[in-house]
Amino acid sequence: MATATVRPAAVSDVEEIVRIQACTWEAAYAELVPAAALAQLRSEAAYHAWTAAVGAGAGHEVLVATEGQWTVGFCAAAVAAPPEGSTAPTEPTLGPGAWAEVSALLVEPRWGRRGHGGRLLATAAEALRGTGAVYGLAWVPESDEASRRFYARAGWEPDGTLRVLDTGDGELREVRITGSLDLNLQP
């Protein structure tokens, strides 16, 4: 295996981020998300949104995973508001900066099972701990067992919260996964 790394994304990575997100969603969620919504992942708006995310600054992390010369995955995470109904497992109660959200963590399917997802999550968690965040959350499609198992290996579990998104041609049900940013990554 070639050298695998994780580094902060640059604007020059946006094209690959857009490609990886579209390819991965098309492969994993074609039965859950309408074709028109999937097509939007390659739109000019998607390029603008990722360019803005890459340049967002402190408290916002966009990372890319590489293997050799190839960009194989990415992660976007940022400090977040505490989840509705959340309480810290120990006192004292933590303030709003104690939470971070992983809004995207994707590895192109052909590069899966090589540790890239774990490296992305660990690097994001380390950066977010540096901002004072202690806990993380992510939203995962309810039927996405692979992503749920991935987060479980990091010690993150569903907290019982469900949200329903309008896809324009139906609904996408997502579960909220939460856990410590002091990761316990299991193989």
Side-chain angles (χ1 to χ4, degrees), residues 2-52:
T3 302
T5 63
V6 172
R7 63 171 172 74
V11 171
S12 60
D13 294 310
V14 168
E15 187 171 334
E16 280 296 283
I17 290 170
V18 168
R19 183 192 64 76
I20 290 167
Q21 183 176 36
C23 290
T24 303
W25 274 62
E26 288 163 357
Y29 303 131
E31 294 181 15
L32 299 175
V33 179
L38 291 173
Q40 289 300 311
L41 296 174
R42 296 180 191 274
S43 70
E44 210 47 44
Y47 283 90
H48 290 300
W50 281 114
T51 300

Side-chain angles (χ1 to χ4, degrees), residues 11 31 38 43 55 58 61 63 82 104-105 107 118 133 140 144 162 171 175 183:
V11 171
E31 294 181 15
L38 291 173
S43 70
E61 301 295 328
L63 306 166
L105 196 162
V107 174
V140 177
D144 185 350
L162 178 74
E171 295 179 338
V175 295
L183 300 178

Side-chain angles (χ1 to χ4, degrees), residues 78-83 86 93-101 131-135:
V79 174
S86 68
T93 300
L94 300 171
W99 285 88
E101 180 172 355
T131 69
V134 179
Y135 301 107

Side-chain angles (χ1 to χ4, degrees), residues 95-164:
W99 285 88
E101 180 172 355
V102 175
S103 58
L105 196 162
L106 297 170
V107 174
E108 192 175 358
R110 66 186 173 134
W111 296 98
R113 302 270 195 209
R114 296 168 91 132
H116 298 298
R119 281 188 289 279
L120 283 164
L121 184 59
T123 303
E126 180 180 355
L128 292 163
R129 283 194 316 266
T131 69
V134 179
Y135 301 107
L137 68 93
W139 291 95
V140 177
E142 188 175 41
S143 62
D144 185 350
E145 292 297 324
S147 292
R148 291 172 70 168
R149 284 191 305 274
F150 166 78
Y151 282 109
R153 287 192 301 275
W156 291 23
E157 295 292 340
D159 69 1
T161 305
L162 178 74
R163 74 178 178 186
V164 180

